[in-house]
Each structure stands twice: as structure tokens, then as C-alpha cells.
């Protein structure tokens, strides 16, 4: 419906140097480089006073909307990057041709749609928003329009999903490969070390996971110059946003249909997003494999979770479509209430747990005491289907990603040459810090590298001159700390003008996107039961000057418009 | 799904004398006696510090849940009322038999359901929640379980709907009856006076409404002792909650299905609620009668509206199911942007208005300046279908309600004796303050009367000893002010233990309910096009001591469970 818009804010960034006011680099990078929501969910960063005081924005007026909305980039460094990687991909719609009134209608209608259809998160400004459902809700940050993406690379990403599923399963079974790959990391990273300890203990006790469930998300960026689809990371634990990503696709389809005449876009070019229904299907099938009709699915959650509605959507579909009951427990609650029967049955209270679905437990912060580690070990010892098992979790570490990119390593796990070639094609350059030639090059040309710590949960990547400084420091110190990092080729995706919605306010800015492809894998002792691509997550974020278009700025949920 | 509940609050009122802390009588009475949402929507009263400090509640414990949860009523006055009107109707479920864990699961799951399905309102604690959609949302207050209601009285209420529709239409055509009935009120009530002025002006200009659309809601209470269904009022303007009431029925059905084993209730006994779809259908048919495919429906709104999602639901169905576009405008915006063409066409900007749907304009506060009155007159002069016209609006006043209850008045408008008998059966005692015998009785026995001011928007009813005091004051003053009031028989509905959800917190308390039946009426010059009952609104509210179970306490949305 159309509306009166007087109360809807529409802001225009005046200069890139102000963008960093939106959100700290830390919270923002979390969303870019990680699949998880953290207690300080970057989907909902602190409300900047700039939104209300607006000293750094001009509210769009009839005048401003008719003049070019992008001011010259003021930082020389960014100018250089812009010259190198100019915008050659067309945006979904020529934003300069959209008039202010139309944008305001799109803004208002999409905010209404979000509110009515549960595209919401907890508002960090409201105290109980991470613990009590139904209070302190705000629309999830989203892009006003879908993001263009070439159809061939889209298909390529979808085709990779079942191959990565198979790879994860095979790697997870090679305990020696995991332990060896991570042996130096173990010394430098306490968190990985604890995971490896549990892994070793399971090996020693002869524990085998016969029913194996993976709900993964492989994240990609499209390199502007080479047009290559390059993998950022493969998430094997807590892949977030299967619920909300589906809603954003629906929102964009609704908007495109409603404003067909004005936008001239075809809603059918937004791929259907079935992440939530297929994840629910996979969980249901795993629950059936466990074969106890009284048993439940347990979602392992953080004590505070402002991204709870994304999780609730999945549980809601599980209940309403499959009549499978879920319970939500923190690691501390599991330690307090969990009992392991001699046959391996995990009881929480008096409920048998068929499937353990982790939406917590991927980061050191989730284990504030030994209790949480005991809970993790208790679950791993049980006969419940773990999503993921400790082996699947370790397979998703960056160090393993880097090891798999070495020559002849994929061949240890896969037979099909075509599949291997497909995987290798999407691998970005990945190097250990043992590789002195690469380290030397990275010190000389740090702008072409990203340093990624082993730490899960993202938000700790190192860019630009900090790469050089950190590498030099590690060389001087000569400690084991270098094993906590890998070096990765820096990807420069296309930068496009975008409308980003957050906290009821529309920001127009230059942005980059990252495509996540969900996939589900389930097998038992005999057969593969499910091995599918399951919808997608498009995330779009402001590319700000200080990180040269890759790391800073705030991120929003988006959808794909195939071109 | 089941959940971990540690963070969900469940409060138990310790004594009735504390209940008044929840909400002021003013805001509360609004919800009880009115159909409209006000800027200070009582659906979302100020958050009392008691919720957080909890000095007046005990959090339920295993002990407290197993012992009777209702403490003796401490006020002698209330005790008396309780003796008079004891609880004889069985509640939906024996609440004493529900264990704490089950209640916590119901609470959590219903909060999740509300969040995912758009059963939300603006949170008054968040500044922009009444102006910007998608920010500062909180679940709408709702009852945890549906309210028992006898099937025969339910059917009776539904059958009355088309008769009242017809009555409103007939009365609206009798300009002299309206002017005469309200002639004394005009002198005492400035707001009614302005409405009458517009009415007179239209009469003088010979303006006729050939397409007449009514979206009404008739509110009833069930008298405990006599089991009579008695009408509280008939709303002909801004009947609110057609959107959210449907959602509460769905919520309760979902909860009853999910907890069938535990609750032993049959979700099919909750009548399907089609208010929003039928209101949308009526608006669409009126839009078609106007017969201009480029024209839109205009919703007249208050500048701040925290109940906006209820309205958005209706507009969303209008757009998605019927492809009818709505715009939202305040009275001030209409005055500023409205143009009346010589043929009566109303333009707002460059949009032709086919139907004007009022969700504002029913209370003096909506007309802070002459601009708003000019807007109202402009609309009335136009050829747009008004919902309601000034005549329909006046027909819904309390004074007209009281006049219609006089002997032989209904017979002036309706022919069918059975219909007349049905209407009369639901009339409570209604008297003018001209009636000296009744006034004398009300001074002697004020507990059996309610004084209702003419003022729309509710919240100003007078109860108990204040009835006596006000009547005596008016007698002494001898002014015209008495014409601003009517006297009504006080109805004492059944008081039942209920769980009321607000702001994420569950309160168990004694409560009473009011049933609103929505109805739609549309006719053109030749034919009645639509005359239907359209779903319902059940509102349940705490019956607190100071008002003897009728007026104070906070109100929540509820649904009907037929018994």
C-alpha cells in the first residue's frame, strides 16, 4: 500500500569518513566474515546518535534527490581502490532514476512487511530483547532491493554445495588429518586445543558417529576483475539466518511485484529461498533416524540471543510442518540438567534428545567456565545426532580450509576429478604463515592479503597496513602465535550503490555483497539420506574507506537478483 | 516448540489493591468502553515499575502454583460484589490444575508465535514506535487462553449484527431524528456540536450519500446473574482490532492444537475470525462501487499510532488479495493536500480518493485546530465513500443509543417485529438525565448504574460513589452539562481467573470479558450489496477492586471458546 511518509527518515551519507560511526569494525566484521550471530549481534549494532542528530547526513529533499547522490570519495587511498575496481556490474535498478517519493514508499512498505511477517530481531537498546521473545523487537536490517548476481556464478555456487557436503563428511572421518592439520594451531589457540582434546577423547573411546548431520553454509564473494566466485569460508557450525534470509527473499519479491511498473524488475529473477524448510526437513529426517518418537531436538543457544527469531522460524516450521518438538538450552543448562544413560541416551530433564542443533558453542566466549566444556563433552559422548559433531566442527576451521587448498590434498578425500576441479576453482589463495615467500610478499603488498585468525565467530580479520605490522611483529617475537593465523588472498568484489535499512532509517551508500549457500547433508551407516543445496543468504554491507571496500561498514540481509 | 524458560517472567498478583498500579483508570477504561485506540493506547499502558521491582507480586514457584493462586479479596466492598456475582461459569480450563512448567511453555510459545506472526503493537517506551513502522515493536497484550462463552449467546450476538447494520443505515437517513435526539447534547458537548454543524451543512446543501459503507462493531457483556447478552455500545467509527483480533484467534488455535494433550481443549471451539478479510472485502466492494480503477482507499490516521499494525494488516490484505492501494493521511495532511473538484472528486496530491476509512477523527483530541475540522468537512462534501459518513458517525453516539432504547422508537426504523424484539432484548437499561426517577434511584443506589459521557473515545465513564456525587453536583449547578451524559444499567459479567500477557510478562488475575461483533454493511442507490457479521473481538481485562469488576485493570486481546 502507499502511505504518508512524513515520519520515515531517509539519510544520505555525506562522506565515507563518517561511515565508521555506524558500527565498530569489530561487530561489523563479524557479520561479514562469520556465519554466526554473537551476543553483540552485528545485525543490530549500537544506534549511533548520528541517526537522530544527523550532523553527518542530509535528509533527502526534492533537490538532493535530483542531484547525484554520491559525493566524490575524499580519501586518496579509497580513490585508488575505486580506480582499480570500478563498478562494472550494473545495479539491480538505476538508483539515480528512482525519485524520492517512490523510495519513501518502498521504505515504508518494506518496514511494514517486515513487521507483519516476522522479519525481526531483538533491539539491543531494550534490556530483555535477547532473553524474552515478543519484547524489544525491531525489523532486521535489510537491503531495500535485491542485489544483482550473475546467473552462471549463482549456478556454480549451488552446484558446489553437495560436493562440499561430501568433502566435509570425508574429512571428518580422517581423524589423523584433522589432528595433524591443527597440531600447530593447537599450541597457539586454546579454543581449538579444547576442541581437539574432545576429538582425541572420542577417538580413544572408539566413539563413532553413524548418523551424521551437517547444516552448512559456504560463503563466497565475486571478484570484480576476474569474475571468479571465490570461497570466503565454509561454516559447519551454527550457520545463521536460514529463517530470516527466506523472509528477505519474500519481502523483495513482494516489493518487486507491487512496484513492477515503477521498478521494471521481474520478481521471478529472485531465486526461491527454501533454507528454512529444507533445514527443517533435514533435522526431521535426522530425528527420524534416531527413531524415538518421544525424543526432541535440542537447540543449543547462547544465554542472550537477539537473533532468536531466526532460530524460532526454524523451530516453528519443525513443529508445524513435521510435529517435531524442540527445546532450547544453554551449555550451562545442559551441564546442569544433562544425564547420560549407559546406552548413550542423552536426557535433559526427562526428555530424550534425538538431535543436538548448535546455535552456540562456536566461539570461546560461549565457554566461560569448565561447565560449558563439560556440556560439550557430554553431548559428544551421547548417541544423539550432533549438528555438528566435533569432527564436523573441526573440519570447518580456517586452518583445515587452508590445508585443503594445498596441492593434492582434495584428492585424498574425493575421487571424482570434475568435482575436485570445481572445488579448486572456487578456492582463493590460502597460505600458512610457514610459507616464507608468501609472508614476504604480504609484508611488501599487504593490500592484497587478509590475515585470518583461527578464532571462530569472525570479527578479527586483519587488513591493509595492519597485515604488514602484524607479520613483522610475529617475525620479531618468533613465537608460536603465527600458527593461530592463515593468510588469504584479498578479494575485491564489485562496489554498488545500495539502500540499506536499519532501525527504521534508509541509508544510501556504496556496498559489497557476500553470497552464502546453505546445504544439508545427512547419512547413516549405510546410505546418504540427504545431500542438497538449501537456499541462500545474501549479505550486503557498506564498503567504507578505511578498509578499502571489504571489511568495515554495517551489514544487512539481502536477496539475489539473477542477471 | 518447547523451550528453556528461565528468562520468562510469570507474576502473580498478591492482592487486588495493587492492580491499579498496572494502568491508570483513564487509559484502561478507554479499552473497555471504547472501540478506538487513542494516542495513549491503553493496549500498551505505561510500564509499571512493579514489573521489574516486583514488590507487589510473587513469582510463581512450584509451591505457589500448587496452592490456590487467588488470595481472598481484601476490600469489603469487593467482597460484597463477589458474593453477589460469584463465578458460576467454568473457565476454559481449570487453571489450578495447570502446572508451572506447562504455563511457562505456553507463555514462551505464545510470545514467539506473536512475534513471528505480526501480533504486535508499538512500544510506548520507544520514541518512534507510533510513527515509524518496524521499530519499537512489542507483542500486543493477549490472554494466554481463550475465554469461555456460551454458544447460544454467541449465536445471538452474531444474529444481531445485520439487524444493527440495517438500523444504523435507516437511522442515518432520518436527519431530523439525529438532530432532535442530539439537540440538548449539542449545547453541552462542543465536539458533538461540531459534528452536528457539518451534518446540518450537508442537509442544507442537499448532499446525499448514495453509496454507504459501515464497518461497525457492537460490544456486549454477558450479565452473570441473568445470563443476558447486553449491548455496551455500537461503534460506527474506527472500530479497531479487526487485524489483531484474527491473529489472537489463530494464536489460541495453534496453542490448543500444540498442547491438546495437556489442556484437553478443542481448537475447533474457537470460532474462525474473519474480521480482517471481510472488512477488506467490504472496502474493496465500496471501492468498486466508486468505479475508478486509478482511485485509492485513504485511511485517516492519527499523527502517532502505536496500534498501526492492526491497520496495516487490513491494508496488507486489501493490497495482496484485492490489489487495492491505500494511502495513510492525518486530518492535517488532508487539509493541506486535499482538493475538491467541482464534480465532488476528492484529490489528495494527484490521487483520487474512492473510499475514506476513518481510524481517527472520533475524539476531540483529533481536532486540535480548525484545520482538522476543515478536513472533515472537505471529505464530507466529496463524492468519496465515507466510512463512516457524518450521519453514520452521529448514529453511533451514546445519546442516540439511549434514544433508540426508548419505547416505540425502534418501530420508527424497522418493520420486522422479530428483529425489533431481538434488538430490544440486548438493550441494557438506558436513561437520559431528564428522567428524574432514574436519577433519584441512581443517587440512592449508584452501584447499579454507570454514567457515560457523550464524548467518544471512552475512558470517561463514572462508576460507584462518583455517580452519586456527580449527579448531586449537576442538580445543584442546574446547568446544561447533564445533557452530556446518559445513565446506563451497570452490567456485572462473570469474573474468571485468567492469564494476561503484557510486555513479555504473564499476570494471573481475576478478569472479565467484553465481546465485540464486527459487521459490514454496504449499499448503493438501488441495492444492499453486503450486510454481514464479520468475525469478532474478545477483550479481557482485570476486574479490580476499586471499580468492582467492571472498569479498571488492564485489557488484553482474547478469543472465544464456545461452551
Amino acid at each position: 500500500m502507499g502511505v504518508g511518509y512524513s515520519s520515515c527518515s531517509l539519510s544520505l551519507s555525506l562522506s565515507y569518513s563518517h561511515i565508521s560511526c555506524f558500527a565498530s569494525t569489530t561487530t561489523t566484521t563479524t557479520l561479514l566474515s562469520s556465519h554466526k550471530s554473537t551476543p553483540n549481534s552485528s545485525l543490530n549494532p549500537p544506534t549511533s546518535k548520528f541517526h537522530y542528530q544527523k550532523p553527518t547526513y542530509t535528509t533527502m529533499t526534492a533537490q538532493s534527490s535530483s542531484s547525484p547522490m554520491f559525493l566524490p570519495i575524499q580519501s586518496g587511498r579509497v580513490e585508488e581502490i575505486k580506480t582499480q575496481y570500478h563498478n562494472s556490474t550494473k545495479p539491480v535498478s538505476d538508483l539515480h532514476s528512482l525519485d524520492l517519493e517512490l523510495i519513501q514508499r518502498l521504505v515504508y512498505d518494506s518496514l511494514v512487511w517486515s513487521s507483519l511477517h516476522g522479519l525481526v530481531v531483538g533491539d539491543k537498546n531494550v534490556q530483555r530483547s535477547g532473553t524474552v521473545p515478543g519484547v524489544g523487537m525491531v525489523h532486521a536490517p535489510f537491503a531495500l532491493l535485491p542485489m544483482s548476481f550473475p546467473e552462471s556464478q549463482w549456478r556454480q555456487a549451488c552446484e558446489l554445495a553437495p560436493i562440499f557436503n561430501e568433502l566435509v563428511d570425508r574429512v571428518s572421518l580422517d581423524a589423523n588429518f584433522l589432528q595433524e592439520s591443527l597440531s600447530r594451531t593447537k599450541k597457539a589457540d586454546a579454543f581449538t586445543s579444547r576442541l581437539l582434546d574432545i576429538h582425541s577423547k572420542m577417538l580413544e573411546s572408539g566413539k563413532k558417529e553413524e548418523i551424521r548431520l551437517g547444516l552448512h553454509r559456504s560463503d563466497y564473494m565475486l571478484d570484480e576483475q576476474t569474475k571468479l566466485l571465490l570461497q570466503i569460508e565454509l561454516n559447519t557450525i551454527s550457520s545463521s539466518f536460514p529463517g530470516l534470509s527466506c523472509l528477505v527473499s519474500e519481502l523483495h519479491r513482494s516489493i518487486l511485484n507491487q512496484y513492477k511498473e515503477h521498478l521494471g524488475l521481474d520478481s521471478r529473477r529472485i531465486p526461491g529461498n527454501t533454507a528454512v524448510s529444507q533445514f527443517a526437513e533435514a533435522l526431521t529426517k535426522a530425528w527420524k533416524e534416531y527413531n524415538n518418537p518421544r525424543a526432541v531436538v535440542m537447540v543449543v543457544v547462547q544465554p542472550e540471543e537477539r537473533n532468536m527469531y531466526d532460530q524460532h522460524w526454524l523451530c516453528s516450521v519443525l513443529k508445524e510442518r513435521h510435529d517435531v518438538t524442540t527445546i532450547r538450552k544453554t551449555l550451562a543448562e545442559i551441564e546442569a540438567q544433562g544425564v547420560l544413560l549407559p546406552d548413550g541416551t542423552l536426557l535433559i530433564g526427562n526428555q530424550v534428545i534425538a538431535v543436538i542443533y548448535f546455535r552456540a558453542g562456536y566461539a570461546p566466549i560461549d565457554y566461560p567456565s569448565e561447565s560449558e566444556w563439560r556440556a560439550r563433552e557430554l553431548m559428544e559422548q551421547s548417541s544423539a545426532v550432533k549438528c555438528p559433531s566435533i569432527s564436523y566442527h573441526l573440519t570447518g576451521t580456517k586452518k583445515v580450509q587452508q590445508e585443503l587448498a594445498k596441492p593434492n590434498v582434495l584428492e585424498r578425500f574425493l575421487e571424482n576429478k570434475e568435482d575436485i576441479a570445481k572445488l579448486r576453482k572456487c578456492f582463493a589463495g590460502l597460505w600458512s604463515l610457514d610459507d616464507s615467500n608468501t609472508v614476504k610478499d604480504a609484508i611488501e603488498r599487504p593490500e592484497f592479503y587478509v590475515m585470518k585468525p583461527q578464532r571462530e565467530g569472525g570479527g578479527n580479520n586483519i587488513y591493509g597496513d595492519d597485515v604488514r605490522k602484524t607479520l613483522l611483529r610475529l617475525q620479531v617475537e618468533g613465537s608460536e602465535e603465527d600458527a593461530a593465523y592463515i593468510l588469504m588472498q584479498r578479494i575485491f568484489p564489485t562496489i554498488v550503490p545500495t539502500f540499506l535499512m536499519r532501525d527504521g532509517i534508509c541509508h544510501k551508500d556504496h556496498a559489497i555483497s557476500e553470497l552464502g549457500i546453505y546445504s544439508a547433508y545427512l547419512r547413516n551407516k549405510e546410505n546418504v539420506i540427504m545431500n542438497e543445496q538449501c537456499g541462500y543468504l545474501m549479505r550486503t554491507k557498506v564498503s567504507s574507506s578505511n578498509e578499502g571496500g571489504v571489511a568495515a561498514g554495517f551489514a544487512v540481509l539481502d536477496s539475489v537478483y539473477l542477471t
Side-chain angles (χ1 to χ4, degrees), chain A residues 296-300 325-330 334 346 348 353-358 379:
Chain A
V296 300
V297 171
M298 176 167 73
V299 185
V300 183
T325 299
T326 55
I327 61 170
R328 294 169 64 83
K329 295 288 174 188
T330 63
I334 292 163
L346 177 62
I348 303 287
I353 307 303
V355 181
I356 303 164
Y357 172 52
F358 285 85
M379 289 187 281

Side-chain angles (χ1 to χ4, degrees), chain A residues 10-68:
Chain A
L10 191 59
S11 301
L12 166 64
S13 304
L14 273 185
S15 107
Y16 279 163
S17 60
H18 294 123
I19 301 300
S20 55
C21 303
F22 277 111
S24 71
T25 307
T26 311
T27 55
T28 306
T29 323
T30 303
L31 241 197
L32 173 76
S33 61
S34 166
H35 46 297
K36 298 99 187 173
S37 55
T38 66
N40 295 311
S41 170
S42 55
L43 257 189
N44 195 19
T47 305
S48 161
K49 281 182 180 171
F50 287 98
H51 291 176
Y52 301 98
Q53 300 174 351
K54 296 191 187 166
T56 59
Y57 308 104
T58 49
T59 300
M60 267 190 209
T61 62
Q63 290 87 339
S64 70
S65 71
S66 60
S67 60

Side-chain angles (χ1 to χ4, degrees), chain A residues 83-315:
Chain A
T83 312
Q84 263 183 323
Y85 304 97
H86 65 284
N87 174 4
S88 69
T89 303
K90 279 186 187 170
V92 152
S93 189
D94 183 359
L95 297 182
H96 293 276
S97 71
L98 300 180
D99 72 12
L100 178 65
E101 199 209 321
L102 176 61
I103 295 166
Q104 284 175 322
R105 285 167 66 191
L106 294 174
V107 163
Y108 194 96
D109 288 358
S110 58
L111 287 173
V112 167
W113 194 99
S114 304
S115 313
L116 301 186
H117 295 86
L119 178 51
V120 295
V121 294
D123 182 344
K124 76 182 298 288
N125 300 306
V126 180
Q127 207 194 349
R128 294 175 300 150
S129 65
T131 51
V132 182
V135 304
M137 290 177 285
V138 63
H139 72 89
F142 60 85
L144 195 58
L145 293 168
M147 181 60 72
S148 295
F149 201 87
E151 195 165 354
S152 61
Q153 280 89 336
W154 161 260
R155 270 204 296 264
Q156 183 193 350
C158 294
E159 280 172 19
L160 287 168
I163 311 174
F164 272 118
N165 279 348
E166 192 66 45
L167 177 67
V168 168
D169 194 60
R170 301 281 179 92
V171 171
S172 79
L173 296 175
D174 192 334
N176 289 338
F177 174 78
L178 289 176
Q179 289 280 344
E180 277 168 29
S181 298
L182 294 162
S183 59
R184 279 203 67 218
T185 310
K186 185 175 166 68
K187 293 174 193 162
D189 187 276
F191 180 69
T192 307
S193 175
R194 294 300 297 257
L195 295 177
L196 284 166
D197 288 344
I198 297 174
H199 185 250
S200 300
K201 213 163 169 179
M202 295 305 122
L203 282 179
E204 284 158 23
S205 70
K207 178 87 171 67
K208 281 199 168 54
E209 298 300 321
E210 291 188 340
I211 307 167
R212 299 192 294 276
L213 171 65
L215 296 176
H216 308 316
R217 199 188 68 227
S218 181
D219 292 336
Y220 304 93
M221 279 189 175
L222 200 60
D223 189 64
E224 164 74 12
Q225 283 205 312
T226 61
K227 302 294 172 212
L228 285 175
L229 180 85
L230 296 176
Q231 188 182 44
I232 303 297
E233 64 173 353
L234 177 62
N235 306 293
T236 58
I237 182 167
S238 300
S239 301
S240 63
F241 301 118
L244 299 190
S245 69
C246 295
L247 290 171
V248 175
S249 303
E250 277 185 59
L251 162 64
H252 284 162
R253 284 181 163 204
S254 167
I255 291 289
L256 261 53
N257 283 331
Q258 196 170 327
Y259 292 95
K260 202 181 173 93
E261 283 177 45
H262 305 83
L263 296 171
L265 295 169
D266 181 357
S267 67
R268 291 168 302 180
R269 299 208 65 82
I270 299 175
N273 201 340
T274 52
V276 77
S277 59
Q278 286 183 276
F279 268 24
E281 191 190 330
L283 286 163
T284 303
K285 285 182 171 170
W287 175 82
K288 282 182 182 162
E289 284 297 313
Y290 189 83
N291 200 23
N292 178 343
R294 309 285 302 173
V296 300
V297 171
M298 176 167 73
V299 185
V300 183
V301 296
Q302 293 174 333
E304 282 200 45
E305 176 60 90
R306 280 191 290 275
N307 193 26
M308 67 168 87
Y309 304 103
D310 177 54
Q311 302 168 358
H312 288 313
W313 270 115
L314 184 55
C315 297

